[in-house]
Amino acid sequence: MMLRHAMDVNRCGCGLRLGLVEITRVEDYQGPGLKSTGMFPDFRPEMWQAQKDWLVPAFYDPQEDRIRTSIHSWLVRTPHHTILIDSCIGNHKERPVDPRFHMRNEPWIERLARAGAKPEDIDFVMCTHFHADHVGWNTRLENGRWVPSFPNAKYLFTKKEFARWDDRRPDYVHRESERFIFADSVLPVVEAGQMELVDEGYTLDDAMTVEAAYGHTPGHIKIRLRTDGGHALFCGDVIHHPIQLPYPKVYSVFDDDPVQALQTRLDVLDNCAAHGILLLPTHFAEPYLCRIDSVGTAQEPSYMPIWQR
Ligand SMILES: [Zn+2]
């Protein structure tokens, strides 16, 4: 399998090439995350202790009992198009329930430029789901109005995830933690005529296919990339943190449906392990991406990362 790292692996760069496709990471945040059990209620000290030779300190800080996390986009350049997968937190967004996300002012657009793309270069935006850390840079504030950050892009959303968040629906169920997200990061894209609703199975450039990965949210998707030089899976929040590899039953408090999320997680990990697929989550800290080795049993599934540095 052809896998080449670009020269700089830094805050905005984790460039690699699969066949004719280039993939670069564009970071919006990296550092401490939530307390372990604040994020993963089943997280136990014996878990990190059993894995500490690789888990500490890169992914977990035992002193503070905090997970370490990254929030990043994946910039994908095929021979035909420039595609952004997940758009992080964004700037100037009112997110009163999460101080890390609230009213930020970060140079993410500059990091995108260092990764080789200007906002007007983006042809497609794909969001694995509509949580605040995956749609934020869909829009930016201009003269007091939210406008699409990528003026030439089509934003490809799935009908199921869009319906879950569309607060104009009469049956929409309001959640305080999700206030403002649809209004400031999704609706302006609709109003600008830049949204295209697609179904699972939609394929872009004969290379990137939208697939169901429900559970974390009802319409969560994963995006499968097939190239002559290898096969990758952008899995969004199917897996938040590497502790969920040896212990896939560890669920996140942000999973809408933890039972379905677990089944999706196991399906993804089995699929990656069986076919040597490169896994590209949204929140793994450095080195960000891995292949998967299955080390468990049918009764007790367990996996280990094979880091791609
Ligand atoms: Zn997320």
Side-chain angles (χ1 to χ4, degrees):
M1 180 162 294
M2 194 164 77
L3 179 67
R4 177 185 66 79
H5 282 263
M7 280 172 291
D8 71 320
V9 176
N10 56 34
R11 275 182 70 78
C12 72
C14 171
L16 60 103
R17 177 180 283 270
L18 284 184
L20 297 176
V21 176
E22 276 185 35
I23 304 168
T24 311
R25 199 184 66 94
V26 186
E27 183 175 292
D28 206 9
Y29 176 83
Q30 184 163 193
L34 297 177
K35 290 269 187 191
S36 64
T37 49
M39 180 78 186
F40 304 113
D42 290 345
F43 191 101
R44 297 289 172 266
E46 53 269 30
M47 291 179 177
W48 72 259
Q49 282 159 2
Q51 311 293 333
K52 67 179 173 192
D53 57 331
W54 64 272
L55 198 78
V56 177
F59 305 106
Y60 177 65
D61 175 355
Q63 263 81 46
E64 299 287 328
D65 182 32
R66 283 190 186 275
I67 61 166
R68 216 183 135 74
T69 191
S70 170
I71 298 172
H72 49 250
S73 303
W74 293 106
L75 180 71
V76 180
R77 274 170 285 208
T78 76
H80 309 293
H81 291 111
T82 300
I83 300 141
L84 188 77
I85 297 179
D86 284 337
S87 64
C88 299
I89 309 163
N91 277 359
H92 313 300
K93 303 260 156 136
E94 253 192 271
R95 301 286 183 256
V97 294
D98 192 331
R100 284 185 309 153
F101 294 1
H102 185 59
M103 301 302 269
R104 300 175 97 236
N105 190 12
E106 287 289 316
W108 182 89
I109 293 285
E110 287 77 358
R111 290 182 201 139
L112 180 71
R114 294 216 308 265
K118 298 186 290 298
E120 52 271 34
D121 296 335
I122 304 295
D123 298 307
F124 294 97
V125 177
M126 302 169 93
C127 298
T128 57
H129 62 297
F130 285 5
H131 278 159
D133 52 333
H134 296 257
V135 297
W137 277 106
N138 281 1
T139 58
R140 64 185 173 81
L141 203 53
E142 185 180 87
N143 300 322
R145 278 182 59 237
W146 293 108
V147 298
S149 300
F150 312 106
N152 300 319
K154 276 282 177 210
Y155 290 65
L156 305 177
F157 300 147
T158 56
K159 291 170 189 159
K160 199 172 164 78
E161 186 67 358
F162 184 81
R164 149 73 173 77
W165 291 84
D166 186 354
D167 62 13
R168 301 168 301 176
R169 286 163 55 110
D171 56 347
Y172 176 78
V173 179
H174 171 81
R175 298 184 198 185
E176 187 57 23
S177 63
E178 297 171 353
R179 223 171 128 204
F180 306 123
I181 297 173
F182 185 81
D184 64 30
S185 298
V186 179
L187 196 56
V189 172
V190 180
E191 290 170 347
Q194 289 180 240
M195 177 178 75
E196 193 172 318
L197 286 178
V198 300
D199 290 309
E200 291 77 356
Y202 178 91
T203 298
L204 187 60
D205 287 350
D206 289 330
M208 297 174 70
T209 303
V210 171
E211 297 181 353
Y214 306 149
H216 181 60
T217 62
H220 191 294
I221 57 162
K222 59 187 186 292
I223 298 158
R224 189 177 298 272
L225 170 67
R226 291 188 180 86
T227 78
D228 291 342
H231 185 160
L233 202 54
F234 300 93
C235 71
D237 287 2
V238 169
I239 302 160
H240 277 90
H241 187 272
I243 195 71
Q244 294 174 293
L245 299 174
Y247 308 106
K249 290 178 184 168
V250 168
Y251 70 96
S252 148
V253 290
F254 300 111
D255 289 343
D256 266 357
D257 180 343
V259 174
Q260 191 172 25
L262 171 60
Q263 192 54 55
T264 296
R265 190 155 52 250
L266 293 173
D267 290 346
V268 162
L269 293 171
D270 282 339
N271 183 235
C272 287
H275 300 286
I277 296 167
L278 191 61
L279 186 68
L280 298 114
T282 308
H283 298 311
F284 279 17
E286 194 174 1
Y288 315 114
L289 54 142
C290 61
R291 294 181 202 281
I292 299 296
D293 192 13
S294 177
V295 297
T297 62
Q299 289 73 34
E300 206 53 54
S302 184
Y303 308 85
M304 288 298 279
I306 306 165
W307 297 111
Q308 307 293 304
R309 291 177 195 277

